[in-house]
Amino acid sequence: MWTYTKKLQYPVRIKTTNPAMAKIIMTQLGGPDGETGASMRYLHQRYSCPYDEITGVLTDVGTEELGQLCYQ
């Protein structure tokens, strides 16, 4: 279906920490507008969708969102 290679486009060197930015990033990942919320919405819509053709698409999109969450 899809593969993920955990490789950065360029090296990252963190010189100073920023707790406020870390909080914003964590909110986006786990908050209502984050990856977890999006993947759960797609996967829940899959079971209530009246069209069989669309359930596969919703499953693919939901698992893709979960994949992005797992490898960030």
Side-chain angles (χ1 to χ4, degrees), residues 39-72:
S39 65
M40 290 299 113
R41 279 190 295 276
Y42 286 123
L43 291 174
H44 285 173
Q45 288 173 2
R46 177 199 187 284
Y47 292 105
S48 62
C49 183
Y51 304 108
D52 291 335
E53 300 87 13
I54 300 174
T55 57
V57 174
L58 290 172
T59 303
D60 290 345
V61 174
T63 55
E64 176 70 27
E65 292 291 331
L66 281 177
Q68 292 173 10
L69 174 68
C70 295
Y71 292 108
Q72 286 186 354

Side-chain angles (χ1 to χ4, degrees), residues 8 10 29 50:
L8 298 175
Y10 53 89
L29 288 175

